[in-house]
Structures are given as structure tokens and as C-alpha cells.
Amino acid sequence: MIGIDSIAVWLGGLLALAAALFCLGYGLLAGRRERAAEVPEDRIWLEEEREMEEET
Amino acid sequence: MIEYLIVILYISLLAYLNVRGRRQEIDPADPSAVRPHPLKSALGYGGVFVSTAAIIGFGGAAGVYGLGLLWLVVLNIGVGIFLAFSLFGERTRRLGHVLDAHSFPELLGARYRSGFLQAFCGLLVFCAMPLYAAEVILGAAAYIGVALDIPRDLALFGFSTLVAAYAIMGGARERRSAAALQAAFVAVGMLVLLFFTYHKLGGPLAAHRALQALRDQVPEALKKAGHQGWAAFPAFGSACWWRMISTLIAAVGVGALAQPQLVTRFFSARGGGELKRAVAPGAVFILAVAGSAFTVGALSNVYFARNPDRIEFARVLRKGGGETGETMLKEIAPRSDRERGVAVTTTFSGASALEACGGNVEEIVPRFVRRALPRWFTLLFLLALLSAALSTLRAQFLTAGISFGRDFYERGLRGGKRSPAAGAVSRMGMVAAILLSVGTAYVLPREFSGRGLEIVARATAAFFGFCAATFLPVFAGGYFYRRSTRAGAIASVAAGAGVYLFWLLLCHRPISGFLPVSSACFGAPSLVSALRSGFILWEEVDPILIALPVSLLVLIAVSAATRPFPREHLRRCLGR
């Protein structure tokens, strides 16, 4: 009979796989979003930083 | 012949990439510099994150505690990769750029406007890093010793020389291509190892069924501590359960967020977009390397049970301490172990992986690879492990050196005045860190080897836990708690480090029981020996579970009682 302690182990393995798949999707989506954006995200950051530097 | 050709080819490629990388050095603080591809960033980060401490140390621990350690992979991916890159990475990159920080202590010091905090954190990093580096060296030396059939001390000496040459002659900047190649090699090596393991044991289903059926072969001492087989979690609230959950899983899983050598890697990222994209290869890398190592470590029990080997052991009675330990005589016991104490020879066949390796947890994966897999793979796997160890050690020694030279010496001792000697002091700090690490790697096995202790995994967990308890509240508070103040940060770091060390040295029996501090001061191996409240077995509770909440509470309480930073500073650091 499979007890809860064995199920917890299997759950760990499945969750590890699920976490990796989730991260894979997240990373691929981020890449697609970045390519689709008109202004690259780095430029937004640089502009924000420049604005802040000017203000301070 | 082909084996040696592969080794020469690999080392030549690594040397070429290092030389080429030297010509293409990038300054992390220069926003116009050409930045690496996210894949290279992720592999480089993963290469530093996962080392021989994980593959050999935690792989061996999985051979003792079983597949439940896969929960650490969940945390490594969820916290060490996803949260680190998506929540902290972008903010760290930006703050590092705005405040012109080049190291983790400098980032904290600039955020909280405290030279003392920078110097203090630099000193803590410099002092703690050799413990972790020693575990990486120990893991690599354990494999080299078994794979090449040479004494452990010789393997340690040879590998230490290689590490020193690689770290000192390699220069101060990162070689992205070499780091990415090393990480890719590790990932491929681990996947091949997993494939061979399943193949050897009759396929994934048969292998896991066989592991489940081995429940009765768990060593008696582990059974008494709550072990229920390698395909099941230990009994809830037992000593084994606490060791696995609080030390091996929680400390390492959470501690990955505040690793000084990992945080600085975000400084050279192109932007938030790149960091988010790097989440994908980073997670796949961790799954391939850590997931394979833990699975192979646990499944090695099936192989050792099916292929028992008669091995002679010596029961060593240590003088003075009254403790006994078992050391394998025939193959791995160093001569010094045979000479000291009173040795009574016993002989038995190895049933579990731990027994088959004479109680040396770090030898479970190396012995399995050497006995079960083809000779050519043993050598190829050696290269993969060297890659894993070298990339991590290089980052560790650089971080320790910079923490000593730039943060402690220049900021702490010279009050922030630029000193032409700072570079030389950093290099001296790096050399000192290498010597300390090698020294620790020599001493630890002499004290703990052959006693069924997962030295590498526990010491690695101690470093990760220490970093989490000391730096994580201040690091996270710097981004998400606008009310945090300089006094709160200093008090939090001091409280985290103090409480962690107190619990580790005086209360946490798996460590305090082997160190003389608690016994000498209080006449007991732990101040909370056998104390139990409900399911909490206090002597087995890892220090991170005590020190991290204390450190967080101190940050909040002291910050609430002191004056906050001016709005301009917060706006500069955190944006709108």
C-alpha cells in the first residue's frame, strides 16, 4: 500500500517537473513579449534612471 | 587512448575560451558594454549555483535520505531561480547600477548608507565563504580519489593546486563563454548519468519499484531516527524528518536567495527582460543537474543492494571522545585513520549505499559511477564535475577576495578612501580564502569521515542558512520595506549572524554534538538535548528556522523606532 509519505515523495518529483515547465513557459513568454514591445525594456530602464538622476 | 584525447581536447577548449574571454572582458558597471545572451547568463548562474557540493554532497545525502530530497529541487527552481531572477534580479541590477556597487556588501552598504554595514558584511562573507568552498573541494576530491583510484589526500592536493592556479591566474573578470561551456558540460554529463542509471536498473518504473521494495534494508540507526525507506518521507517529526526538511531542504532552498557570489551576477545583466528570459534555461539546468544527482543518489541503493560487495571495515575507537566510527580499511581509509585509536576489524557485505561505502556519504555517487557505469563515462563525468567545481570555486574565491579587499579593507579600515593597495589586498584575501578552504577540506574528513554523516551537504546547508539568516531580511527589506533604516539593517545583520551561530554551536546537535563548544561550556552536546514540544524536536531544528525570523523581527522593530531615510534616497534606490 502506498502511504502518504510515499505520495509526498512523488509529489516532490512532479512539482519539480511542473516548476521547471512553468519557468520554461515564463522565460519563453518574456522573450516573446520583449521582442514584440516597441521599446526594449532596457531602454525604459535607462530612461527612468536618467530621469531619476536628473531629478536628484 | 580516446579517453585521454577527450580530456586534452576539453582542457584546450577551456583554455582557449579563457584567453579569448580575457580580450573581451566586460565591466559590470558599464551599461554600454556588450552583454551576454540570456542563455549564457543562466548557464553561468546555474554553474555557480550548482557545484560538486550539490552533485556529490547532496547526491550522497539522497543516497541516505532518499527521493524526498527532490523537494529541494522544487525550492531550487522556485526560489533559487524563479524568485531570484524575476523578483530580485531586476531590482539588484538596477540598484547596483544606480549606486555603483560592485559587490554584495557594497550594495547593502550603499542602500543603507553605511560604511560599517559594508565592512561588517564583507568580513562575514570573507570568513564564511571558505566553509562552502571547502565542501566544493571535498566533493570534487572524493570523486577524483575514487575515479582515479588514488588516496584522498593526494586527490585533495592535486585538485587544490588546479583550483589555485585557475582562480589566481584566471584574472578578476568573468569568462562567460568558458562558464557557459562548463555548465552545459555538467548538464549533459548529469543527464547521461541519469540515463545510464535507469538503463542499468531495468528502466525508470522497475528502478523506482525496486527502490520502494528496499524499505527493509534501511540501516538500523536510520530506522530508529525515523527513516521509512528511500521512496518515502521520514516519519513526521522524527530526527530524520527534521534533518531533511529543515537542514537539507529549507536552509539550502531559502538560502539561495542571499548568496553573495550569485547576487553580484545580476549586476552585469542587460535588463529585466534578459533576466526574465534567463529563468527558462536556468530552471531546466537545475532540473537536469540537481534532479538527476538526487535521483541517481537514491537509486544507487538498488544497485548496491543487487551487487553486494564484501568489504572490510575497521571500527575506530577515538581516544578521549569515547565515540566510535566505522572506516573502510581496504580501499579508502587513510593510513592516519588506521594508526590512531584502537581498531577492531569486522567484515560484512554492503546492502544500502551508505553501508557499501563504509559510512562515507560523499563516496556514494563516485562509487556508484565507478562500479556501475562504463570506464569511459567515469572519466567524462570527472570532467563534468571538474567543470562544476571550478566555476563555483572561482566565483567563491573572487567574492571572498573582493569582500576582504574592497569591502573590509578599503571601506572598513580606510574609511572609504581609494587605495592603490586595495587590488593587492583583494588578491591577498583571495589567496587567504583558498588556503583556508583547502585547510578546512583537509581537516573535516579526518574528524567526520566514515561516521555516516553527510558532511558536505550539512556544511553547505550551514553556509546557505547563515547567508539567509544574516543577509536575506536586509537584502529583501532594501527593496520591499521602504521604512527600513540603517540602524535596523545593522541590528538585523548582527542579530541574524549571532543567533545563527549561537544555535549552530550550542543547540543544533548534528553540529554542536561534534564540536567542543557546547560540551566544554555546558557539559552537554546540546542545550536543548531531547527537548520536544509537540512535533518539534528542538535539537534537530536547523538554525535558519530560529535565526531568520529573529533577524526579520529585529529589522522591523529597530527600523520602526529609528528615523527613516530621506525620500530622495528611497526614490533614487527604489524608483517611484
Side-chain angles (χ1 to χ4, degrees), chain B residues 52 55-57 135-152 155-156 159 189-190 193 296 332 361-387 389 456:
Chain B
T52 42
I55 298 167
I56 301 296
E135 305 319 315
V136 179
I137 294 175
L138 262 181
Y143 187 83
I144 295 170
V146 172
L148 302 182
D149 206 10
I150 56 174
R152 187 179 54 199
L156 253 177
F159 183 66
M190 291 310 299
L193 174 63
V296 169
I332 54 166
V361 179
E362 286 67 41
E363 300 211 343
I364 290 177
V365 173
R367 284 192 177 276
F368 169 70
V369 173
R370 193 184 150 184
R371 281 181 59 185
L373 278 77
R375 176 72 184 149
W376 63 266
F377 181 77
T378 309
L379 209 65
L380 269 187
F381 193 60
L382 174 71
L383 293 183
L385 284 184
L386 285 184
S387 299
V456 171

Side-chain angles (χ1 to χ4, degrees), chain B residues 359-431:
Chain B
N360 288 292
V361 179
E362 286 67 41
E363 300 211 343
I364 290 177
V365 173
R367 284 192 177 276
F368 169 70
V369 173
R370 193 184 150 184
R371 281 181 59 185
L373 278 77
R375 176 72 184 149
W376 63 266
F377 181 77
T378 309
L379 209 65
L380 269 187
F381 193 60
L382 174 71
L383 293 183
L385 284 184
L386 285 184
S387 299
L390 287 177
S391 51
T392 306
L393 285 167
R394 181 199 178 85
Q396 288 172 324
F397 292 139
L398 277 175
T399 305
I402 290 170
S403 295
F404 188 75
R406 191 180 174 99
D407 300 319
F408 178 66
Y409 170 75
E410 201 173 68
R411 188 75 209 180
L413 299 184
R414 290 186 54 86
K417 285 182 205 150
R418 292 270 171 199
S419 161
V425 176
S426 291
R427 278 191 292 280
M428 275 168 53
M430 199 162 108
V431 173

Side-chain angles (χ1 to χ4, degrees), chain B residues 276-295:
Chain B
K276 282 178 185 161
R277 281 163 65 194
V279 164
V284 174
F285 176 82
I286 296 291
L287 183 71
V289 179
S292 300
F294 301 168
T295 309

Side-chain angles (χ1 to χ4, degrees), chain B residues 65-420:
Chain B
Y65 294 102
L67 283 171
L69 222 58
L70 283 173
W71 278 91
L72 177 56
V73 183
V74 179
L75 282 190
N76 279 341
I77 295 174
V79 177
I81 294 291
F82 182 69
L83 281 187
F85 275 76
S86 64
L87 204 63
F88 288 88
E90 197 176 335
R91 290 172 170 86
T92 305
R93 183 204 71 81
R94 187 177 161 280
L95 192 62
H97 177 56
V98 168
L99 299 177
D100 193 27
H102 294 80
S103 69
F104 182 55
E106 192 174 12
L107 182 80
L108 296 180
R111 165 65 182 85
Y112 291 100
R113 286 181 164 176
S114 167
F116 173 77
L117 185 68
Q118 181 183 344
F120 185 45
C121 291
L123 188 63
L124 288 177
V125 170
F126 174 75
C127 292
M129 194 64 84
L131 177 70
Y132 182 26
E135 305 319 315
V136 179
I137 294 175
L138 262 181
Y143 187 83
I144 295 170
V146 172
L148 302 182
D149 206 10
I150 56 174
R152 187 179 54 199
D153 283 356
L154 184 63
L156 253 177
F157 176 75
F159 183 66
S160 306
T161 312
L162 177 71
V163 165
Y166 188 73
I168 294 169
M169 290 164 72
R173 299 261 168 80
E174 170 75 37
R175 313 278 182 269
R176 294 285 176 159
S177 302
L181 173 80
Q182 285 170 315
F185 206 80
V186 178
V188 172
M190 291 310 299
L191 286 174
V192 175
L193 174 63
L194 184 68
F195 171 79
F196 267 124
T197 305
Y198 279 136
H199 179 68
K200 195 88 190 168
L201 302 177
L205 268 180
H208 285 278
R209 273 194 197 129
L211 188 69
Q212 202 143 12
L214 278 185
R215 196 186 160 113
D216 296 333
Q217 295 201 29
V218 174
E220 272 310 309
L222 284 174
K223 264 187 198 164
K224 277 182 197 158
H227 203 300
Q228 303 191 100
W230 294 281
F233 252 69
F236 181 68
S238 65
C240 241
W241 188 87
W242 277 104
R243 260 174 244 164
M244 197 162 107
I245 297 291
S246 74
T247 301
L248 299 179
I249 295 178
V252 179
V254 177
L257 277 180
Q259 292 289 297
Q261 75 278 16
L262 291 178
V263 168
T264 47
R265 298 188 73 88
F266 293 133
F267 294 159
S268 60
R270 249 189 304 209
E274 183 210 305
L275 289 167
K276 282 178 185 161
R277 281 163 65 194
V279 164
V284 174
F285 176 82
I286 296 291
L287 183 71
V289 179
S292 300
F294 301 168
T295 309
V296 169
L299 288 175
S300 69
N301 284 288
V302 178
Y303 177 83
F304 285 117
R306 285 181 187 169
N307 302 277
D309 189 24
R310 291 188 71 78
I311 306 162
E312 288 186 337
F313 290 89
R315 193 171 289 276
V316 180
L317 182 67
R318 297 190 189 266
K319 284 173 186 165
E323 292 174 64
T324 57
E326 282 180 350
T327 304
M328 200 186 297
L329 256 186
K330 206 164 66 182
E331 290 181 71
I332 54 166
R335 197 163 290 159
S336 58
D337 267 12
R338 296 195 206 182
E339 284 163 1
R340 65 202 248 190
V342 181
V344 181
T345 309
T346 55
T347 310
F348 62 90
S349 294
S352 69
L354 184 65
E355 287 166 325
C357 295
N360 288 292
V361 179
E362 286 67 41
E363 300 211 343
I364 290 177
V365 173
R367 284 192 177 276
F368 169 70
V369 173
R370 193 184 150 184
R371 281 181 59 185
L373 278 77
R375 176 72 184 149
W376 63 266
F377 181 77
T378 309
L379 209 65
L380 269 187
F381 193 60
L382 174 71
L383 293 183
L385 284 184
L386 285 184
S387 299
L390 287 177
S391 51
T392 306
L393 285 167
R394 181 199 178 85
Q396 288 172 324
F397 292 139
L398 277 175
T399 305
I402 290 170
S403 295
F404 188 75
R406 191 180 174 99
D407 300 319
F408 178 66
Y409 170 75
E410 201 173 68
R411 188 75 209 180
L413 299 184
R414 290 186 54 86
K417 285 182 205 150
R418 292 270 171 199
S419 161

Side-chain angles (χ1 to χ4, degrees), chain A residues 5 8 45 49 51-52 55, chain B residues 71 90 94 228 571 576:
Chain A
D5 298 314
W45 275 112
E49 278 158 16
E51 270 176 38
M52 272 188 293
E55 282 170 20
Chain B
W71 278 91
E90 197 176 335
R94 187 177 161 280
Q228 303 191 100
R571 206 168 162 185
R576 292 176 181 89

